[in-house]
Amino acid sequence: MVAMSLGSQDSRAQGYWPAADTDEWACRLCPEQSQRDGRVTAGVGHVSDSSAKFGDYTGLDESGPYWLGELDVRTRNGEGSYTEAQVDNLGLDSRQVRLLYGEQGRYDIGFEYQQIPHFVAEQAQTPFLGVGTQVLTLPANWERASTTRGMSQLDPSLKRFSPTLERETYGLNAGARRNDRWDYSVDFRRTEQQGTKLQGASFLNTAVVLPVTVDRVTERMDARLSYREDRWYLQAAYYGSQFDNNADSVIWDNPFNSLAEGGDRGRMAQEPGNEFHQLTLSGRWQPGRLLQTSGRLAVGRLRQDESFLPATINPRVGAINQPALSLDGRVDTLNGQVRALIQPWSALSVVAELYYDDRDNRTPRSEFTPVRSDLVVAPTQFNRPYSFERAGSKLRADLKAGSGTTVSAGLSRETMERSFQETEKTSTTDYWGEVRTAVTQTLDVRLKGGQERRRFVEHYRPLEDLVPGENPLLRRYHLGERDRDQVRASVDYLPRDWMTLSVSLDYAKDDYFNTRIGLTEARELSHSLDISVRPKENLSIYAFATRQRIDSDQAGSDNFSTPDWTGHQRDRVDTFGVGIEREALLDGLDVGLDYSHSFGRGEIEMESRASAAPFPDLKTNLSRVELFARYQLSDQISLGLNYGYERYRSDDFFIDQVTPDTVANLLSTGHQSPRYSVQVGSVSVTYQFW
């Protein structure tokens, strides 16, 4: 009866009520069928002064103009196909390109290119000819001498050069998915690095810093196959890497008087080619709400079988017979991990983990005949195929003790066995506790403390066949017995909805209590303050300050006996900064300012029986100011204005005021600590075409 009545009323009203116009209706929850977003940026910039340090990794190393070019395009159609294209820093040596095409849920394929410049040193000089090749020669009129001051042709022969390394990476990647269960992916990358580095070489008691050519290629492949179900997941993966060095050695003329006949030229090997292959099986399983498990097992092999260079190029030494033509190097790796998360009830969770890491060096151990500095045949020595085996366990528990409070504790233990080391086995135990609590709705506090202890399982014994030998009282810092205490505290406070205040403190102390010669103690203390303010929707302000202190003490012996000197190093780093950004300062105009300053000082104090002049302090001072403005000229066009100023000063007594002939038995490049004041400005136009 009701249904009949309603139907009757509806039929009578059809002629009265107008029909709804659905042409403009839109579904806010439905995914858009087609999307397009694209913009291109072009502009010009200017660098005030040339500085290799300022342009490190950015390409802004030379004074003068440069052009800006950026592109960002993203499209997606109704069938789920998408395209992405990104280009950054097109006018600089730090350019990047990324292309991607695919169909959502089915496949994707991409290409990447990245270029990164690295500037090694400034104001470098060398008398060698052939920079950029594998053979460095001296001028025909070069006059050798026993000291650098005696080299009469040194000053006229010096030429400036820029030790620079440029890295280019090409990448191809593809992925596919099937039935929401299977995933396939492969990623290939080829990295080419070319340029010039600085490397020391010697003839016994004389040395020279050489401009060594770099020409390396590294190829890497990562392929993965995975399958997933509702409660478990399994993945098989392959990783391969191959390294080739096209500049496998450098030959150089000896600028000093030869100490023996035939010692007027030397040869030095560079990094040999090698390859690494690894297979990995990983997965996870969640049988229920109370238990989640995961695991990983990986096996790999590293090979290095490049032919040895001749032991010497000195014809007076003669041929040296070695036990093999190559190292025939082989290292087998085995890594495993099992992890379980147990949650017996909502307030408590426990994580347990076991891991194993084995590096089995199967390189043959042979007796080789070394030639020192292409001059002297030394006593035979055996190579040392280092291996290690590491196994450990970790346990962690988190308990929600009350409203807003969580108490955590953890314990881990690790044993490590090594071959051809002063101690064959060490054991490390680490335990910690942490409390995180919300004191109020606007105040969060976190406290954490712990201790780590490393002990010898096998006695520490100096290696008998080292040349020269070790002081029996020496303990290497990465092997020696150590107690490490750590404390961390942080406070996050929101006094207003528009203000955030954070304070943190970290302290750590290492005590090498059983070391008489070597590193005996180290301490680190850092604390920071961060403030963020947003008083208006279009105004944000921030400020931060950090202070870090690193102290270390070590003891040594000049007479190969008990300690007779101590050294204390004190490093201090202070950093602070402020920034402000205002959106819509005027209609369509956004502006911002960032300022930061960092100052570091390193002090070295020596205590010994003999009075010695103190070392000068090491200093670094960096200040940076950045201003920017963006103006939305129209819906499609915006203008950008950027200005930056950076000032850098450093003092390093290791290289400052050290000219090529300052040290009698060292021919250096004379490069100095970087010092610059550089201004950079740019103007750009961005066009939003989609």
Side-chain angles (χ1 to χ4, degrees):
M1 294 287 294
V2 175
M4 292 177 62
S5 177
L6 289 175
S8 176
Q9 292 178 9
D10 182 67
S11 62
R12 291 194 302 268
Q14 287 181 358
Y16 180 80
W17 298 106
D21 183 5
T22 62
D23 293 341
E24 301 297 327
W25 287 12
C27 175
R28 292 179 297 174
L29 301 180
C30 300
E32 294 188 33
Q33 298 299 310
S34 181
Q35 300 177 5
R36 293 193 304 176
D37 184 21
R39 62 177 178 84
V40 60
T41 300
V44 63
H46 187 273
V47 181
S48 64
D49 298 275
S50 297
S51 171
K53 176 66 176 178
F54 176 77
D56 198 16
Y57 301 112
T58 65
L60 297 172
D61 57 302
E62 295 183 359
S63 63
Y66 66 94
W67 67 281
L68 300 170
E70 295 183 1
L71 175 69
D72 191 351
V73 177
R74 304 170 190 268
T75 67
R76 184 181 297 270
N77 63 20
E79 287 74 33
S81 297
Y82 56 89
T83 303
E84 297 180 9
Q86 292 178 280
V87 179
D88 295 314
N89 299 331
L90 192 59
L92 298 172
D93 291 338
S94 57
R95 59 184 61 88
Q96 300 181 56
V97 178
R98 180 177 178 269
L99 306 175
L100 182 66
Y101 176 78
E103 185 174 330
Q104 185 174 353
R106 295 189 60 191
Y107 68 89
D108 60 69
I109 183 170
F111 168 79
E112 295 182 25
Y113 171 79
Q114 184 181 48
Q115 183 178 358
I116 301 178
H118 172 49
F119 301 94
V120 179
E122 290 187 293
Q123 305 176 29
Q125 303 176 79
T126 184
F128 286 98
L129 307 175
V131 176
T133 70
Q134 292 181 247
V135 180
L136 301 174
T137 60
L138 292 167
N141 62 344
W142 184 265
E143 295 183 4
R144 291 183 170 88
S146 58
T147 65
T148 52
R149 291 295 176 91
M151 299 174 182
S152 59
Q153 295 301 313
L154 176 58
D155 289 343
S157 302
L158 288 175
K159 299 180 180 62
R160 289 191 177 274
F161 72 102
S162 298
T164 305
L165 297 174
E166 183 175 283
R167 185 176 66 191
E168 293 182 285
T169 300
Y170 305 84
L172 287 173
N173 56 79
R177 283 150 292 282
R178 179 185 175 189
N179 301 331
D180 294 330
R181 301 292 187 187
W182 292 94
D183 287 295
Y184 318 86
S185 67
V186 61
D187 190 332
F188 173 80
R189 295 181 183 273
R190 176 185 173 92
T191 300
E192 301 176 357
Q193 189 178 42
Q194 297 178 332
T196 305
K197 66 178 181 179
L198 301 181
Q199 186 172 356
S202 68
F203 281 92
L204 295 182
N205 64 343
T206 60
V208 59
V209 179
L210 300 174
V212 176
T213 296
V214 174
D215 187 0
R216 310 164 178 159
V217 177
T218 303
E219 294 181 339
R220 298 181 296 273
M221 176 177 287
D222 192 345
R224 300 173 183 268
L225 169 65
S226 61
Y227 180 81
R228 70 182 69 245
E229 287 286 351
D230 293 339
R231 292 185 176 274
W232 59 274
Y233 169 84
L234 193 64
Q235 182 184 85
Y238 163 78
Y239 175 80
S241 172
Q242 180 167 323
F243 171 78
D244 293 310
N245 195 342
N246 299 319
D248 60 352
S249 67
V250 58
I251 297 175
W252 79 98
D253 287 346
N254 184 3
F256 294 89
N257 288 334
S258 177
L259 299 176
E261 191 174 3
D264 54 355
R265 174 170 279 201
R267 187 179 192 181
M268 182 167 52
Q270 299 299 296
E271 301 87 349
N274 58 78
E275 60 184 46
F276 177 68
H277 304 274
Q278 180 175 265
L279 295 174
T280 303
L281 183 66
S282 61
R284 63 176 179 266
W285 177 50
Q286 185 175 353
R289 184 187 65 82
L290 302 181
L291 177 64
Q292 299 179 34
T293 62
S294 63
R296 178 181 180 273
L297 180 66
V299 294
R301 175 166 293 178
L302 173 67
R303 295 301 304 265
Q304 195 277 94
D305 199 24
E306 292 284 323
S307 298
F308 285 138
L309 296 175
T312 180
I313 60 173
N314 188 341
R316 301 297 181 182
V317 174
I320 301 295
N321 294 324
Q322 302 290 14
L325 299 178
S326 67
L327 180 66
D328 192 22
R330 171 184 161 186
V331 176
D332 293 337
T333 63
L334 175 63
N335 315 97
Q337 179 194 43
V338 178
R339 186 173 184 267
L341 169 61
I342 306 171
Q343 194 167 10
W345 64 86
S346 59
L348 176 65
S349 63
V350 179
V351 179
E353 179 182 334
L354 298 175
Y355 62 90
Y356 179 79
D357 186 9
D358 180 49
R359 177 188 172 97
D360 185 10
N361 196 332
R362 294 179 174 267
T363 302
R365 193 164 191 237
S366 305
E367 190 174 12
F368 292 90
T369 303
V371 179
R372 305 295 186 198
S373 302
D374 279 291
L375 293 174
V376 179
V377 179
T380 60
Q381 288 183 280
F382 285 90
N383 61 310
R384 299 173 177 274
Y386 295 104
S387 298
F388 69 79
E389 182 182 36
R390 177 168 50 202
S393 59
K394 298 180 181 179
L395 184 65
R396 172 184 177 136
D398 297 278
L399 175 65
K400 294 181 179 179
S403 177
T405 300
T406 301
V407 180
S408 303
L411 172 68
S412 66
R413 183 176 176 84
E414 177 183 284
T415 60
M416 188 164 184
E417 298 185 40
R418 307 172 178 86
S419 64
F420 302 106
Q421 298 286 325
E422 287 80 358
T423 180
E424 295 183 358
K425 190 174 183 180
T426 58
S427 175
T428 303
T429 303
D430 180 21
Y431 50 91
W432 56 271
E434 182 181 36
V435 176
R436 301 185 301 275
T437 182
V439 180
T440 66
Q441 292 183 347
T442 60
L443 179 63
D444 293 337
V445 178
R446 177 182 179 184
L447 297 173
K448 183 177 181 180
Q451 185 178 72
E452 179 184 284
R453 295 179 176 179
R454 185 172 62 202
R455 297 293 185 267
F456 296 141
V457 178
E458 302 289 344
H459 293 296
Y460 191 102
R461 298 183 180 88
L463 299 176
E464 297 179 354
D465 56 347
L466 277 185
V467 180
E470 286 184 330
N471 190 317
L473 299 179
L474 173 68
R475 298 294 181 267
R476 298 181 185 270
Y477 75 94
H478 65 288
L479 298 175
E481 294 185 305
R482 180 190 67 193
D483 285 343
R484 169 175 291 175
D485 298 314
Q486 293 177 295
V487 177
R488 173 175 296 177
S490 64
V491 176
D492 296 318
Y493 180 48
L494 282 74
R496 297 289 187 274
D497 293 341
W498 44 268
M499 176 182 291
T500 302
L501 175 65
S502 299
V503 180
S504 65
L505 180 143
D506 290 90
Y507 174 78
K509 178 182 178 182
D510 292 344
D511 182 11
Y512 296 83
F513 59 90
N514 202 22
T515 296
R516 297 189 62 192
I517 292 182
L519 183 63
T520 58
E521 189 174 296
R523 299 165 302 281
E524 181 175 355
L525 174 64
S526 64
H527 36 91
S528 62
L529 171 66
D530 293 271
I531 301 176
S532 178
V533 179
R534 196 175 180 88
K536 297 182 179 179
E537 185 67 25
N538 61 349
L539 176 63
S540 59
I541 304 171
Y542 75 89
F544 68 90
T546 301
R547 170 164 290 185
Q548 185 178 29
R549 300 290 183 264
I550 303 175
D551 301 334
S552 62
D553 303 327
Q554 60 178 317
S557 175
D558 289 332
N559 56 13
F560 205 76
S561 180
T562 57
D564 54 22
W565 63 264
T566 56
H568 310 281
Q569 184 160 341
R570 310 285 184 261
D571 294 327
R572 308 287 186 267
V573 181
D574 293 317
T575 305
F576 64 89
V578 295
I580 182 172
E581 182 173 355
R582 174 67 185 271
E583 300 175 359
L585 178 64
L586 300 175
D587 187 19
L589 177 63
D590 301 335
V591 296
L593 165 69
D594 291 293
Y595 172 78
S596 62
H597 176 79
S598 179
F599 176 75
R601 179 191 296 270
E603 302 175 358
I604 302 176
E605 300 176 0
M606 300 295 297
E607 298 179 10
S608 61
R609 298 172 183 172
S611 59
F615 291 105
D617 291 347
L618 302 168
K619 300 177 183 178
T620 302
N621 200 318
L622 174 64
S623 298
R624 180 186 291 118
V625 177
E626 296 181 28
L627 298 167
F628 70 88
R630 294 185 299 266
Y631 181 66
Q632 196 69 36
L633 191 62
S634 66
D635 291 341
Q636 294 178 301
I637 300 176
S638 62
L639 304 179
L641 177 65
N642 291 271
Y643 169 81
Y645 171 76
E646 188 169 295
R647 182 180 184 272
Y648 182 86
R649 297 290 186 270
S650 64
D651 296 325
D652 185 350
F653 66 86
F654 286 101
I655 59 176
D656 289 342
Q657 309 303 319
V658 179
T659 62
D661 61 352
T662 297
V663 183
N665 61 342
L666 169 65
L667 178 56
S668 71
T669 59
H671 65 276
Q672 305 294 301
S673 298
R675 301 172 68 88
Y676 62 81
S677 296
V678 177
Q679 301 179 67
V680 180
S682 65
V683 179
S684 62
V685 179
T686 299
Y687 176 65
Q688 189 88 25
F689 51 87
W690 285 336

